[in-house]
């Protein structure tokens, strides 16, 4: 078995014998940065068809092509878990998206709360972070990063069959309360507030939702990025694919 | 009650009526950056005496002094949990130290494993990150960052009454295996390997330790910084102060 450590996300369908064209950026990375040439082995995934071994068929400065040889892993979907979070400073927002992709979120939804400073996000840049995290971490699935939406509107249009786990010091119950809630295939979302916390109106609204549940993340106040990772960890262990 | 949102870590003992001198950096931060003046309220902690309300008694360009008024919180020690980790890239190492302070580690120990690239760390800079995390997150305790030591030597000198939780894909058991192991006051350490994983020799050595236990962090491969946060979360929930 030849070893192929470089993993690339591509949009193209993947199947034995397929030829996959490379974008200019991918060609620059593979041939310029990583010094690969014709015949080099690369692992490909597109978020739908699993992971495939491919070899470089054509290497050029501005493009190239790969030939798909055989499947090396099936598609592994994460559980049906969404991560809703209020964007914070750039580096910490990037971090939350990277960690959500690593920890197995199916969808990443930036939401604007009353105390959120950001009024816009660079969706394409955040999506690229999710792709890079999947490339690095052996994932075969890439969570979609949604457009920024107001939390009010998101909650107004919410499908109540998807439960919400939210993390708020003021309303928190013990984290063990999560055990045994909902079947393993039940859709869930984790909601993380902004650095300033939720407003009183948001808190009251969340507390009144029968499909929402608050958990504690311990006696110390966590930053939003830490809270996102900790909440996903607790969820994956209690209800997700870490069991 | 007057509100005081600025929190400062100081070395000085804290008790009612104490006068606490400010370093040049603290004076610059308080009076230059935060625009505070005489009479302004500041919260102080030193890692030993809890949190105290103080007011600015003297404000100068290169120094100043605070007068301690009254205690606002007792010292809250984290559980007796150490975090051992192999230093990685600068930003991710900084991140691990910040998160360990937030999540409640009592001590942070950088270790050099066979596949660790870093042969030195800036201990003082990492300690400053732990202090800043405690200032930001309402903590009254600051974990000490130890000097970098070789993992081999750390394990050779280990006190076996302190259990080790280690995270390694190759040896992992279900994360639920942690529940009920050891009393709540038992000393523990979490050990996170480097990006390249543990060597076969290190793995064999860890597997043979009766006081060490491996857990799984799910089916996806996590970066070392993500693994550190996830492992501390699982430990705090199962055995620490999140219960």
């Amino acid at each position: 078995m030849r070893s192929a450590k470089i993993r690339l996300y591509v949009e193209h369908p993947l199947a034995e014998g397929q030829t996959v064209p490379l974008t200019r950026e991918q060609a620059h990375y593979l041939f310029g940065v990583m010094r690969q040439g014709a015949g080099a082995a690369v692992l490909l995934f597109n978020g739908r068809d699993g992971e495939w071994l491919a070899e470089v068929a054509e290497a050029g400065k501005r493009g190239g092509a790969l030939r798909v040889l055989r499947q090396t892993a099936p598609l592994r979907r994460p559980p049906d878990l969404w991560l809703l979070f209020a964007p914070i400073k750039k580096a910490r927002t990037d971090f939350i998206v990277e960690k959500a992709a690593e920890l197995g979120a199916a969808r990443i939804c930036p939401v604007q709360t009353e105390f959120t400073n950001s009024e816009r996000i660079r969706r394409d840049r955040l999506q690229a972070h999710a792709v890079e995290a999947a490339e690095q971490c052996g994932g075969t699935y890439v969570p979609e990063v949604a457009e920024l939406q107001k939390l009010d509107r998101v909650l107004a249009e919410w499908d109540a069959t998807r439960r919400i786990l939210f993390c708020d010091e003021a309303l928190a119950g013990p984290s063990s309360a999560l055990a045994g809630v909902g079947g393993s295939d039940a859709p869930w979302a984790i909601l993380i507030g902004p650095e300033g916390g939720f407003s009183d109106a948001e808190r009251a609204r969340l507390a009144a939702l029968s499909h929402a549940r608050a958990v504690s993340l311990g006696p110390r106040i966590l930053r939003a990025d830490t809270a996102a990772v900790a909440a996903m960890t607790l969820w994956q262990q209690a209800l997700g694919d870490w069991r």
Side-chain angles (χ1 to χ4, degrees), chain A:
Chain A
M1 202 175 118
R2 82 174 100 179
S3 74
K5 288 199 172 169
I6 298 173
R7 301 183 84 246
L8 274 188
Y9 172 84
V10 294
E11 306 265 338
H12 203 275
L14 295 172
E16 199 179 317
Q18 283 275 9
T19 298
V20 178
L22 291 172
T23 64
R24 191 171 171 148
E25 290 73 27
Q26 288 169 331
H28 171 72
Y29 171 72
L30 261 189
F31 310 133
V33 180
M34 300 302 287
R35 308 268 171 173
Q36 303 295 305
V42 180
L43 292 171
L44 301 179
F45 66 106
N46 60 8
R48 305 180 304 274
D49 300 323
E51 182 189 79
W52 293 76
L53 179 66
E55 64 176 9
V56 175
E58 196 192 314
K61 281 199 178 168
R62 294 179 185 181
L66 300 172
R67 187 178 306 114
V68 180
L69 301 176
R70 60 182 171 77
Q71 192 173 33
T72 47
L75 175 65
R76 290 175 297 251
R77 281 185 181 281
D80 189 3
L81 175 67
W82 295 1
L83 177 68
L84 277 63
F85 75 100
I88 39 178
K89 283 182 200 157
K90 182 179 166 299
R92 291 184 192 270
T93 297
D94 293 352
F95 173 86
I96 288 176
V97 169
E98 174 187 303
K99 295 321 178 204
E102 273 183 61
L103 289 165
R107 187 177 166 84
I108 300 170
C109 309
V111 293
Q112 197 178 340
T113 67
E114 281 190 50
F115 298 156
T116 306
N117 292 321
S118 309
E119 296 194 1
R120 51 187 295 276
I121 55 162
R122 283 280 309 274
R123 207 200 64 80
D124 55 339
R125 212 174 46 78
L126 294 180
Q127 187 66 66
H129 276 289
V131 165
E132 197 192 321
E135 284 176 342
Q136 289 271 332
C137 296
T140 51
Y141 176 89
V142 178
E144 189 187 339
V145 180
E147 289 291 351
L148 183 67
Q149 275 200 296
K150 295 204 173 195
L151 177 62
D152 265 357
R153 191 171 154 193
V154 169
L155 293 179
E157 295 170 356
W158 196 262
D159 171 359
T161 60
R162 181 177 297 276
R163 290 191 178 84
I164 299 175
L165 173 69
F166 69 99
C167 307
D168 183 37
E169 294 89 44
L171 288 174
S175 52
S176 56
L178 203 56
V181 178
S184 61
D185 301 327
W188 273 88
I190 288 172
L191 170 62
I192 302 289
E195 299 280 303
F198 293 109
S199 71
D200 288 343
E202 286 167 342
R203 241 179 218 129
R205 184 166 189 178
L206 286 165
L209 293 177
S210 63
H211 53 279
R213 179 173 292 250
V215 294
S216 161
L217 298 175
R220 287 158 295 272
I221 301 164
L222 302 185
R223 280 180 152 128
D225 55 348
T226 322
V229 175
M232 293 189 65
T233 298
L234 292 182
W235 188 91
Q236 287 287 13
Q237 193 206 15
L239 300 170
D241 62 12
W242 290 25
R243 287 173 300 173

